[in-house]
Amino acid sequence: MMRKCCLCLSFLIILVVSVVDVAAIGLLPSESAPLIRHYYKIHNTCANVEPFVRQQIKALMGDKSITPKLIKLLYADCMVNGCDASILLDGDNTEKESAKNRGLGAFAVIDIVKKVVEARCPRAVSCADILNLAVRDAIYFSGGPSYPVFLGRRDGMKSDAAWVDLPLPSISWESALAYFTSKGLNVVDMVTLLGMYIAPKPILLLSCLRVVITFGSVSGGHMMGRTRCSNILDRLYDFNNTGKPDPTMEPTTLSYLQRQCPKKVRLGQPNPLINLNPDNPTHNFTNSYYSRVLARRSVLGVDQQLLYGNDTRELTVEYANGLEDFRGEFAYSISKMGGLKVLTGTKGEIRKDCRVVNK
């Protein structure tokens, strides 16, 4: 109950502060100004941008995988160089070309939404804001919360694969927490958002001609989406180089995953994809992910690590027992992540095409 009260109070404080700042700063926020609600309506540049985005996302929701893909895309953007849509830029050695970002999707979804918004409000709405709005609406149409998105981001003009420092699926909870705190987030944010994205794990496959490096991918949130079998083979067959499975994994889950992910695949056979949350094959917003952690039925090792920290275990129990607690905290944490290192005022630009900087 206390956490819910704090959540509501946090949103109220942010909203009040934002309104005061808008009155003081004129047409454009300064570089140090916070994001604000209804930014485009207040500045009379695209008053109906939120309905425009929502309508397009609703029309595309026949594909249930859109939600985890968009969540993953937002996380990959905000956690690397701030929420500046640099993940959307095409080109050699850009963030999307990093090996750790193999498997990212939903770029075409953002293209579609941007095209519609540009037709109605030319050169007014940033790709970074569109991405945040699209994620919020996709979450809502998947059964999740509809939360206020604070706007006024501008788009970055650079993207570099060398910036990508996303964690691997075998990371410990201590290392995961260190990573999140380095970005300005805390343990609550980590437990709430951990089910969003983990970088693919490199796997070496020997061929008769050369060594080929392939990567598994995680398609969005661990409460929804899928992962490559290569991300969990160590847990299934050679945990900590013991030649045996992870002894903490619940036996029926281990048997199920071993059937889905054979120790070796035939030459030319694709790396199989499996559901990160087998209880949620339709990619709905759910707290069953946390129930699986408590039952030691997690697919990824990093998820099972939530049991081993006092705070992380307590939050896992809370979320498993209360969907509304999880919904409220998720709304707050993803909003908080969406404000990391944003560009405002005259920094950056408003891209006409999300894939390229303006000429």
Side-chain angles (χ1 to χ4, degrees), residues 253-272:
T253 301
L254 174 62
S255 297
Y256 166 77
L257 292 174
Q258 286 180 331
R259 290 194 301 271
Q260 301 298 311
C261 299
K263 192 172 184 178
K264 294 182 179 180
V265 296
R266 296 176 182 176
L267 186 63
Q269 182 179 343
N271 187 358

Side-chain angles (χ1 to χ4, degrees), residues 266-325:
R266 296 176 182 176
L267 186 63
Q269 182 179 343
N271 187 358
L273 274 168
I274 58 170
N275 284 325
L276 279 163
N277 184 353
D279 296 335
N280 185 27
T282 55
H283 310 299
N284 293 320
F285 189 95
T286 173
N287 62 340
S288 61
Y289 159 80
Y290 296 98
S291 298
R292 292 186 66 88
V293 172
L294 294 175
R296 299 183 183 276
R297 298 172 62 205
S298 297
V299 173
L300 290 179
V302 66
D303 298 339
Q304 203 59 66
Q305 285 282 316
L306 294 179
L307 279 182
Y308 305 133
N310 291 335
D311 291 339
T312 59
R313 182 183 178 88
E314 180 182 345
L315 287 163
T316 299
V317 171
E318 180 180 336
Y319 291 164
N321 292 333
L323 177 59
E324 289 309 309
D325 286 348

Side-chain angles (χ1 to χ4, degrees), residues 74-95:
L74 180 67
Y75 185 89
D77 185 43
C78 295
M79 295 294 279
V80 170
N81 194 49
C83 299
D84 63 351
S86 56
I87 189 63
L88 303 178
L89 288 172
D90 287 340
D92 296 334
N93 298 316
T94 56
E95 291 168 55

Side-chain angles (χ1 to χ4, degrees), residues 20 24 51 97 102 127 142 200 225 227 244-245 248-249 279 294 304 310 335 339 341 348 355:
V20 172
E97 295 301 315
R102 297 282 174 85
C127 299
S142 295
T227 186
K244 298 179 181 180
T248 67
M249 188 181 294
D279 296 335
L294 294 175
Q304 203 59 66
N310 291 335
S335 296
K341 293 179 64 177
R355 292 176 179 264

